[in-house]
Amino acid sequence: MEVSAPLGFDPADPGFLADPYPELARLRESARVFHDEGWGRWFVTRHEDVRSCLRDKRLGRNFRHVMTPEEIGVPPLDPRWQSFWQTERWSLLWLEPPDHTRIRKLVAAAFTPRSVESLREPSAELARELLEPLAEAGEMELLYDYAQPYSIAVICRMLGVPLDRHRDLLDWSHRMVKMYEFDVPLEAAEAANRAAAEFTEYVQELIRERRARPRDDMVTALVEAEVDGARLSDDEIVSTVIVLLNAGHEATVNTLGNGMLAFARHPDQWRRIVDGDVPPAGAVEEMIRFDPPLQLFERWVLADDVAVGDAAIPRGNKIAMLFGSANRDPRVFERPHEFDVGREDAAQHIGFGGGIHVCIGAPLARIELEASVEALRSLWPDFALVEEPRRTGAFVIWGLERLKLARG
Ligand code: HEM
């Protein structure tokens, strides 16, 4: 049996949050899967198992299409957070087939290689536009001054959402994603619910406008789309727009923060980028592998015969797949704890997931990240940390509170 001694970890522990990788390595080398009583979940630690769980049809992001909460002893969704649950109700991230297949097909139609590729040039221009004045000023807080306005502008452009309320969009999103952490304090849940209500109202207004005056954008496409003769409901469109806006910048912004911190700590690797020895595209894969912006994703066990290694995992249980641990698995990556932008195995990382929920925005994220690294390499060839950055305190959505950089 793999799980002889009880293993566990505390994702809220400041020591763990300062650098989770030694602890994740200890867990990974002790067991490929373990059950944590406190968190009521099974944790999967190794690359091979995370990869196969992501593709396993007996596991689902949701269970409500096949089981009731009572059947598996899960408390009902807290009715106080109704606005939040309503935005999640039709989110791709919460759906399973056939609803997932139906809505994903519509969204995929907008993310064709050609339409995403058409954003490459504008993304590169925008990166320079934002970074040039910051380079002149000589100092910036990478996330607030650059990564957030940059990434939200790119996804808004793709969707056809006006940019005038971009700080509201960021604020709603930041409050809502706190609901993905393990332990959500009451005030955080209240704030997430209020954000969801405001965000919903905003998107409903946008839908009314596009219905009255259609444009060549994705919101209009969702309003007009038909699958098997049926249109999407307004609730489905609201959830879809919100998940695209939120997923479309949170992870990209945190990849830039985590990645540029890795460069600040490994100036020899930054030199390889600045000198043109390694193209930005290679660096992007290593940034995601080395310190991924999403540390875990979960699945419900929907069938009776599921096992990871020797551990049988009962139907109705929850599995958490540790991406950060899988990305440092020595069974797949040579010298896994080394940040090496030239490594050939970087693209094996699990950062974008896999299976039916694999990140639909990955090609866009890669374009944005490459354009950012390219602009930074030419405009900020030398930089240093102004202060020791602090983590946000959250583990699942893994990022920095601030990253202040000064130009050398
Ligand atoms: C570096 C940046 C990004 C990372 C690391 C990332 C990572 C992920 C991962 C791991 C998943 C799968 C979740 C699961 O299996 O449960 C996912 C799903 C998703 N991502 Fe991304 N993402 C990034 C950027 C983006 C962007 C730019 C967009 C939007 C344009 C986006 C939109 C989505 C959507 C809509 C889903 C849900 C897909 C589904 O459930 O079918 N992501 N992402």
Side-chain angles (χ1 to χ4, degrees):
M1 195 61 190
E2 293 275 356
V3 280
S4 46
L7 278 172
F9 70 111
D10 180 4
D13 175 63
F16 175 79
L17 288 173
D19 179 8
Y21 297 106
E23 178 68 352
L24 292 174
R26 182 185 73 81
L27 295 166
R28 183 180 58 242
E29 297 316 314
S30 306
R32 51 201 281 196
V33 62
F34 64 92
H35 188 257
D36 186 304
E37 286 297 331
W39 297 111
R41 289 163 171 81
W42 296 82
F43 288 90
V44 177
T45 60
R46 296 186 190 166
H47 189 280
E48 184 190 354
D49 294 325
V50 169
R51 203 174 171 282
S52 63
C53 284
L54 282 165
R55 287 163 179 76
D56 194 329
K57 297 216 164 87
R58 297 165 305 167
L59 306 178
R61 292 235 6 143
N62 207 332
F63 63 83
R64 289 176 172 77
H65 56 307
V66 285
M67 297 179 259
T68 62
E70 301 80 53
E71 208 182 327
I72 55 172
V74 172
L77 296 177
D78 190 326
R80 286 174 299 173
W81 321 134
Q82 184 53 33
S83 300
F84 178 79
W85 305 127
Q86 186 55 37
T87 61
E88 294 289 80
R89 172 68 186 87
W90 296 104
S91 154
L92 279 175
L93 276 171
W94 263 61
L95 292 175
E96 285 297 306
D99 287 324
H100 179 266
T101 322
R102 176 172 60 90
I103 295 184
R104 175 130 182 161
K105 219 188 267 174
L106 286 178
V107 177
F111 277 81
T112 58
R114 204 159 58 99
S115 64
V116 176
E117 200 48 45
S118 74
L119 289 169
R120 188 178 290 278
E121 217 21 69
S123 299
E125 265 168 40
L126 181 64
R128 291 195 69 89
E129 252 169 52
L130 285 169
L131 282 169
E132 266 164 13
L134 294 168
E136 258 164 53
E139 205 171 293
M140 69 170 158
E141 198 284 274
L142 182 82
L143 305 180
Y144 187 89
D145 294 334
Y146 173 71
Q148 291 173 359
Y150 174 70
S151 203
I152 197 85
V154 175
I155 187 65
C156 281
R157 183 183 176 121
M158 171 138 198
L159 286 168
V161 171
L163 255 185
D164 52 342
R165 300 207 34 205
H166 83 275
R167 281 289 159 200
D168 283 332
L169 299 177
L170 288 164
D171 178 49
W172 291 330
S173 169
H174 291 161
R175 288 195 270 151
M176 286 173 72
V177 297
K178 290 283 182 288
M179 291 292 265
Y180 297 131
E181 299 302 324
F182 285 171
D183 209 8
V184 186
L186 187 67
E187 319 80 73
E190 277 167 355
N193 197 57
R194 270 199 311 277
E198 288 167 27
F199 208 159
T200 299
E201 215 172 283
Y202 173 77
V203 179
Q204 281 167 340
E205 178 57 31
L206 205 58
I207 293 172
R208 278 194 289 275
E209 278 174 24
R210 292 299 183 273
R211 209 166 257 143
R213 281 176 295 282
R215 287 202 204 159
D216 181 15
D217 65 25
M218 197 167 157
V219 175
T220 308
L222 289 170
V223 167
E224 292 180 346
E226 280 189 27
V227 193
D228 303 331
R231 296 242 158 137
L232 291 186
S233 69
D234 282 14
D235 285 350
E236 289 171 337
I237 301 173
V238 168
S239 285
T240 305
V241 171
I242 290 181
V243 72
L244 284 168
L245 279 170
N246 289 359
H249 69 88
E250 290 283 352
T252 317
V253 169
N254 287 329
T255 303
L256 269 173
N258 298 348
M260 291 311 287
L261 175 61
F263 279 119
R265 298 227 159 106
H266 301 86
D268 54 321
Q269 297 303 310
W270 185 238
R271 202 34 53 206
R272 294 172 80 187
I273 306 293
V274 173
D275 292 346
D277 297 342
V278 175
V284 165
E285 302 307 319
E286 179 63 350
M287 287 158 76
I288 298 173
R289 183 199 73 85
F290 185 74
D291 203 14
L294 300 161
Q295 284 285 340
L296 65 83
F297 269 99
E298 296 181 324
R299 293 292 185 270
W300 290 96
V301 177
L302 307 178
D304 280 323
D305 56 346
V306 172
V308 177
D310 290 341
I313 307 187
R315 182 168 179 268
N317 279 25
K318 217 176 194 186
I319 291 181
M321 303 167 287
L322 290 165
F323 286 14
S325 166
N327 282 354
R328 301 277 187 114
D329 189 337
R331 293 158 195 82
V332 174
F333 302 101
E334 273 183 41
R335 302 165 283 107
H337 298 292
E338 241 176 71
F339 183 59
D340 171 3
V341 288
R343 65 164 63 240
E344 284 178 3
D345 51 18
Q348 307 281 337
H349 67 71
I350 297 279
F352 289 117
I356 65 167
H357 291 281
V358 68
C359 179
I360 205 163
L364 179 62
R366 287 188 164 113
I367 284 179
E368 285 181 46
L369 292 164
E370 277 172 50
S372 299
V373 172
E374 179 58 45
L376 282 160
R377 130 191 142 86
S378 66
L379 296 164
W380 289 71
D382 296 298
F383 69 89
L385 294 179
V386 172
E387 62 187 17
E388 200 43 40
R390 252 201 338 232
R391 289 274 163 198
T392 59
F395 175 59
V396 179
I397 310 270
W398 180 245
L400 297 168
E401 192 70 54
R402 279 201 307 262
L403 185 64
K404 276 195 165 178
L405 304 178
R407 207 159 166 266

